[in-house]
Amino acid sequence: MRPYALLFLAASSIVGQLGCGPSPGGGGSCPDPGDPDVHYVSREPECPGVDFACSPSQTPFSGECGCGCVGPEPGVCPDPDAPGVRYVSHDPVECTLIDFACSPPEEYFGGECGCGCIDPEPEACPDPDAPGVRYVSHDPVECTLIDFACSPPEEYFGGECGCGCIDPGPAACPDPSDPGVRYVSHDIEECHLIDFRCAEGQELFYNECGCGCISPETVVCPDPGAPNVRYVSHDPEECMLIDFACSPPETLFGGPCGCGCVGPELPVGHAR
């Protein structure tokens, strides 16, 4: 039995003759067994013959109520024999004096257990039986020697699991009736063979829907004819040089359309 626990139990046996031993609530009441921070070792008065010790963050108690520990349970210490766990010290006090760093991807740990470094849990490997997953090799070493490319829209993956390609899944097809969308082909196989370019300002798309070009969404400018819209300038460059403020409840707007103030929607039939 640890010395501090023996001394405490001896002293508490005297206190126990007058009532219950030390408790979180004081006043001689028994520690509440329903309190998650109260841990009874025995409910026998004075706990005769019971040998126990509390962690440094806990306080022992003993009396007519029984005996045990009050305080939060210590956390589970990283297993020093587990792969990826490296203790620098098992002494919490010494840990406060040691200056050390963990090598990425290791992460620091510290507390009552001591301190050190631990490797993060390895990421789950892509399921080789899942649709869209295609392994080129399950050998990480071999993967460093293989030269391969994934066919869009597939994405490359690699690591301890091996390497290969994974399909991100069905993509939302650009609407062919949208005036800003231009399909070159709806056949993904044919798209592999076609060499084409998009006009300036357009972006290329390439997925299971096919391939082509798409214009960015058109910016809708506040209507200068609306009664609640007030333009200060229609020139975006001039707007950068102008210092102005909008009067509440108006709010400021700016962008490729210019800048100004816009107020809340006016009720129907109301004229400014």
Side-chain angles (χ1 to χ4, degrees), residues 17-185:
Q17 295 175 10
L18 303 176
C20 213
S23 67
S29 61
C30 293
D32 180 6
D35 188 330
D37 285 345
V38 174
H39 313 280
Y40 275 87
V41 175
S42 173
R43 298 299 183 90
E44 290 292 324
E46 312 306 334
C47 297
V50 175
D51 182 10
F52 76 99
C54 301
S55 71
S57 63
Q58 295 177 317
T59 303
F61 68 87
S62 180
E64 291 184 357
C65 308
C67 58
C69 303
V70 177
E73 287 274 17
V76 178
C77 296
D79 183 359
D81 297 324
V85 175
R86 177 170 61 88
Y87 274 85
V88 174
S89 175
H90 290 273
D91 185 346
V93 177
E94 186 180 20
C95 284
T96 62
L97 307 174
I98 300 173
D99 184 13
F100 70 95
C102 297
S103 302
E106 289 182 327
E107 297 173 356
Y108 170 87
F109 71 85
E112 296 178 357
C113 309
C115 56
C117 301
I118 187 169
D119 281 330
E121 289 288 331
E123 294 184 5
C125 296
D127 182 1
D129 297 325
V133 175
R134 176 170 63 88
Y135 273 85
V136 174
S137 174
H138 290 272
D139 185 347
V141 177
E142 186 180 18
C143 284
T144 62
L145 305 174
I146 300 173
D147 184 13
F148 70 95
C150 297
S151 301
E154 289 182 326
E155 297 173 357
Y156 170 87
F157 71 86
E160 296 182 357
C161 309
C163 55
C165 301
I166 189 168
D167 192 328
C173 295
D175 182 2
S177 64
D178 188 326
V181 174
R182 177 172 65 89
Y183 274 87
V184 174
S185 174

Side-chain angles (χ1 to χ4, degrees), residues 216-224 226 229 231 234 253-259 262 265:
E217 290 186 13
T218 305
V219 177
V220 179
C221 296
D223 182 4
V229 175
Y231 274 84
H234 289 274
F253 70 85
C257 307
C259 57
V262 62
E265 291 289 338

